[in-house]
Amino acid sequence: MAQTVAVTGGGGYVATELIHQLLAKGFNVRATVRSKADAAKVAHLTCLATALPGSVELVEADLLVEGAFDAAFAGCRYVFHTASPFFIEAGDPQAQLVDPAVKGTRNVMQAVARNKADVRRIVLTSSCAAIKGNANAAAPKVGSTYSEADWNETSTLPAEAYWCSKVQAERAAWELAEQHGLDLVTILPEFIMGPVISRRSDATSFGYMKAWLEGTAQNFAPVFADVRDVARAHILAAENPAASGRYIVATTHSTSPSTISSWLQERFPEYALADGEEMECTEIINNSRVQGELGLSITPVKETIVDMAATLVQLDLAQPKPKGPEPGKQ
Ligand SMILES: NC(=O)c1ccc[n+]([C@@H]2O[C@H](COP(=O)([O-])OP(=O)(O)OC[C@H]3O[C@@H](n4cnc5c(N)ncnc54)[C@H](OP(=O)(O)O)[C@@H]3O)[C@@H](O)[C@H]2O)c1
């Protein structure tokens, strides 16, 4: 019989790819969403299920409502907790970012504890924001690259509220796992890119790529993770009995904006795309654990970037400007 699993924040960018892969594997997915009536955020989930072996059921649950997840997790073998606000600018960072992330994670962990007889493991979507601040203010604890041994101890609420929300939420999850004897594994991605499935367009990751495609260079050098790898890592972490602790999912190096613009210009010669600045690419992340222990292959960054850009154009989520005629040609 098909197994039932729960995914919180089901309509989000990462959760949609995770649900896509779970449905392809034949799972019954209980996807929690804030509102079933918000078709723009959730309608794609039922469409996905029609073409794949698994099935999907939408259940309403808000991170800030105590007890909201209890019924959703009943009978679930695994709980994937992806829901958490991801944006950078917030008028009230405590209320908009930290409270939903931390209180929501406590709420989810307590719901798992109340369904302990059914739930074998909870896989939490944390972030590399939980291992280092945006400015990499502290040196790695081991060697010269950040690894699962590192915890972000430098971010402050006024400067790096999203980073605070992620490190506090992951710490809360580990405390409650210990307290209730729950089997928890956490996945820590860097900045996630990669193909988009839904026409929903409010994710922070979309905004970054849409800006590139619409002619504005993004002049910082991120370390990326591919959304397909992130979803696969969640499933590998759930199904492998030996999985434990934290797993970074990311490439090892940052990518220069000049490299990103050259890949996009090569893929879309017909569009007027900005040139990115040349920046030094540094090796920042040790991603060996997820590859060695869970067998995850990391997608090459060029593929991640180009595949995401192509889906944004196909779905009309970005409107690139066509190139004008070359000088001298009319
Ligand atoms: N994208 C990245 O680069 C990246 C990198 C590292 C880690 N992550 C983590 O990955 C997870 C998913 O992020 P994403 O990129 O997929 O962002 P996203 O598309 O904005 O998804 C965020 C999800 O969280 C849900 N959510 C927010 N506040 C909520 C609340 N009060 N109650 C219930 N649900 C709530 C949203 O629900 P609605 O659908 O109702 O809006 C949405 O489904 C987050 O935990 C994020 O921190 C993302």
Side-chain angles (χ1 to χ4, degrees), residues 149-163:
D150 292 291
W151 282 91
N152 177 356
E153 285 163 353
T154 60
S155 291
T156 59
L157 190 62
E160 296 184 350
Y162 171 69
W163 282 255

Side-chain angles (χ1 to χ4, degrees), residues 48 230 272 312:
L48 267 182
V230 173
L312 286 189

